[in-house]
Amino acid sequence: MLETLWFILVTVLFIGFFFLEGFDFGVGMLTKIIGRGDTDRRVMINTIGPVWDGNEVWLITAGGAIFAAFPNWYATLFSGFYMALFLMLIALIGRGVAFEFRSKLESARWRATWDWIIFFGSLLPPLLWGVALANLMRGVPIDQTTNYVGSFWDLLSPYAVLAGLSIVLLFLLHGSLFLSLKTTGELRDRALGFAKRIGAWTSGALLVFVVLSYFETDMFTRHGIFPGMVPVSAGFALLSVPFLIKAERDGWAFIMTGLTIVLSTVTVFMSLFPRVMISSLNPDWSLTIHNASSNEYTLKVMTIVACSVLPFVLAYQIWTYWVFRKRVTPADHLDY
């Protein structure tokens, strides 16, 4: 029972991370795509400046929850995906440093260097997360002692790379819609125009990924050709985005890309449950919520602590977004 509860809580933490960091990463990538000068880029970074580090708390908490609730999952995941997670960590650190440092000097070369670090630091994590999630769904070589026996290059199949590119496109769309809600004038128009152009590419990439999932994973054989309302609703939410943008309902369009991210994350974890890592060598060697979890006493203590602290964390994050809800313009004081 508690194992299932903590599997759901880990899912919720990843939902929060992908939803919030989704537009955050998207804005970071867009600084080099639609930003046409230093002022544009400063405005764009200031739209996420007060919240980006709070968004990453969801990832840290998810990692901590896996470590404490499912130590065997944590050990196999971090040893098997060591290089991918190391690259992701370097990208996140570089991105955070770049946000703080780029406006400390007036030098154009200094700022251009940090701008590229922001771009690649925003591109690499979603790309690697897509690769990681696709491998979790398809299965990785895990032996009978729950050790990962593959290499970094074994993770880079065409299916996994397509998943990474699909998430990059989805986050670019999510980020451009966020910018349309947080900026004004020509920059807002460019963000909305980019969202219009990328919408079809995003839908197409995700559709191909779903079709390949039929052949690459056991999702459809376990749940049937109709996988349920959750993944279907994710598809409809994404397909509604171009129509909402055309109708200039960019707020609703942003909600729909967010809903796509939420439902897609639920779909991934639903396809895994009760497994947490699938062995491609022998299904019986897969890690599940039962053979990967901590003992019951640990899970009870964690549940009490989580129920006590989580409401305050949620309240603080909602308050932060409420305080910084205004649109950012070049006339504002730009901290970043």
Side-chain angles (χ1 to χ4, degrees), residues 1 15 27 45 49 54 77 80 82 98 102 113 117 123 130 138 142 157-158 182 197 222 234 248 269 273 288 310 319:
M1 178 65 182
I15 287 172
V27 171
I45 295 170
L77 180 70
Y82 175 79
R102 80 170 296 282
T113 302
I117 293 174
L123 170 68
R138 191 179 66 158
I142 297 173
S157 65
K182 290 290 292 181
R197 292 196 298 276
R222 292 181 78 221
E248 298 188 355
F269 281 87
F273 184 82
T288 69
L310 195 58
W319 176 78

Side-chain angles (χ1 to χ4, degrees), residues 80-334:
F81 295 0
Y82 175 79
M83 184 55 71
L85 293 172
F86 175 74
L87 291 173
M88 195 182 302
L89 184 63
I90 294 295
L92 291 174
I93 292 172
R95 180 171 172 268
V97 173
F99 284 148
E100 301 298 332
F101 275 39
R102 80 170 296 282
S103 295
K104 298 296 183 188
L105 293 179
E106 291 293 336
S107 164
R109 182 176 295 180
W110 169 271
R111 293 189 174 187
T113 302
W114 290 115
D115 285 343
W116 280 113
I117 293 174
I118 290 172
F119 175 76
F120 286 110
S122 303
L123 170 68
L124 203 55
L127 186 66
L128 292 171
W129 271 117
V131 170
L133 291 174
N135 278 289
L136 285 177
M137 293 171 65
R138 191 179 66 158
V140 291
I142 297 173
D143 66 13
Q144 66 271 36
T145 58
T146 71
N147 285 318
Y148 177 83
V149 292
S151 69
F152 171 74
W153 301 109
D154 292 330
L155 303 175
L156 299 179
S157 65
Y159 173 69
V161 173
L162 176 63
L165 293 175
S166 300
I167 289 189
V168 168
L169 288 171
L170 181 58
F171 285 4
L172 276 170
L173 179 61
H174 198 41
S176 58
L177 290 169
F178 177 77
L179 277 179
S180 76
L181 296 171
K182 290 290 292 181
T183 57
T184 59
E186 192 185 341
L187 181 57
R188 177 186 176 276
D189 294 340
R190 259 183 273 143
L192 212 50
F194 184 81
K196 287 177 184 173
R197 292 196 298 276
I198 203 174
W201 287 99
T202 307
S203 300
L206 285 171
L207 178 62
V208 174
F209 175 71
V210 171
V211 172
L212 284 180
S213 295
Y214 178 83
F215 302 100
E216 297 282 344
T217 73
D218 63 0
M219 178 181 169
F220 291 94
T221 53
R222 292 181 78 221
H223 299 288
I225 193 66
F226 180 72
M229 285 309 297
V230 174
V232 172
S233 299
F236 278 118
L238 183 60
L239 290 174
S240 71
V241 172
F243 299 101
L244 291 167
I245 295 173
K246 192 174 181 181
E248 298 188 355
R249 300 280 186 179
D250 33 333
W252 278 106
F254 176 74
I255 290 172
M256 288 298 114
T257 54
L259 195 59
T260 303
I261 292 170
V262 170
L263 296 176
S264 299
T265 308
V266 173
T267 301
V268 170
F269 281 87
M270 274 176 53
S271 72
L272 286 174
F273 184 82
R275 306 162 300 178
V276 290
M277 286 189 81
I278 302 169
S279 172
S280 59
L281 303 178
N282 185 335
D284 293 336
W285 297 343
S286 299
L287 288 166
T288 69
I289 60 171
H290 306 296
N291 65 18
S293 70
S294 295
N295 60 49
E296 191 168 346
Y297 176 74
T298 302
L299 295 178
K300 276 183 183 175
V301 172
M302 288 178 62
T303 305
I304 294 169
V305 172
C307 291
S308 306
V309 174
L310 195 58
F312 295 100
V313 175
L314 289 174
Y316 173 76
Q317 192 139 40
I318 292 169
W319 176 78
T320 305
Y321 275 91
W322 175 255
V323 169
F324 296 102
R325 66 188 182 279
K326 285 178 59 179
R327 290 180 186 268
V328 180
T329 71
D332 291 328
H333 173 71
L334 301 176

Side-chain angles (χ1 to χ4, degrees), residues 5-28:
L5 173 66
W6 273 96
F7 182 82
I8 294 171
L9 285 175
V10 169
T11 306
V12 170
L13 290 168
F14 274 106
I15 287 172
F17 171 68
F18 288 131
F19 180 89
L20 297 172
E21 281 286 271
F23 66 75
D24 196 329
F25 287 139
V27 171

